[in-house]
Amino acid sequence: MKNITLIAGARPNFMKIAPIIHAIKAAKANGADIDYRLVHTGQHYDKKMSSDFFDQLDIPEPHTNLEAGGGTQAEQTANIMVRFEKELLANPTDLVLVVGDVTSTMACSITAQKLHTKVAHVEGELDLMTGPCPRKLTVW
């Protein structure tokens, strides 16, 4: 069985993760030996807004919420990394799949790499017309 840990932490992530969850469910229904674990980092931590996204996008509640919350970007990054490390040690996976270009994407990617876990990155908004900008450096 191939296990994939999907990371979502901010509003744009949920829209990018939804079709991936649907594709995994379809593959599994067709006999693929695959499963996933959805981890919400809590980067955007409005419970009502998060649950609205789950309903509207037809995705399940996350298996876990790291509840990283607010603070400075450094504090939030550190919280996500510490909490995700514990999550990953408790629930090993074959692949961590991150989406977008938010703090959760960076923090979980670094954490997974440090634990020698493969990482895949999906970005759905490359804008070739405006050229490189700091938040898109990972895709250039």
Side-chain angles (χ1 to χ4, degrees), residues 8-58:
R11 291 179 295 276
N13 296 156
F14 298 118
M15 289 171 271
K16 293 173 185 172
I17 227 72
I20 296 167
I21 290 174
H22 297 152
I24 291 171
K25 286 181 174 183
K28 193 171 181 174
N30 287 320
D33 197 17
I34 188 169
D35 206 358
Y36 74 94
R37 183 171 174 79
L38 178 58
V39 174
H40 185 337
T41 65
Q43 178 179 337
H44 287 178
Y45 43 91
D46 182 306
K47 290 185 193 258
K48 168 101 173 81
M49 186 181 300
S50 289
S51 66
D52 286 349
F53 274 113
F54 301 138
D55 292 341
Q56 292 168 7
L57 298 170
D58 191 30

Side-chain angles (χ1 to χ4, degrees), residues 77-119:
T77 301
N79 284 336
I80 292 169
M81 291 177 80
V82 168
R83 293 169 188 199
F84 184 57
E85 180 181 55
K86 291 176 184 175
E87 164 66 23
L88 204 49
L89 290 170
N91 298 285
T93 189
D94 297 304
L95 177 73
V96 170
L97 191 145
V98 296
V99 296
D101 57 4
V102 299
T103 301
S104 296
T105 306
M106 174 194 63
C108 291
S109 296
I110 292 169
T111 302
Q113 283 290 300
K114 291 294 185 180
L115 293 175
H116 307 287
T117 302
K118 292 179 183 175
V119 175

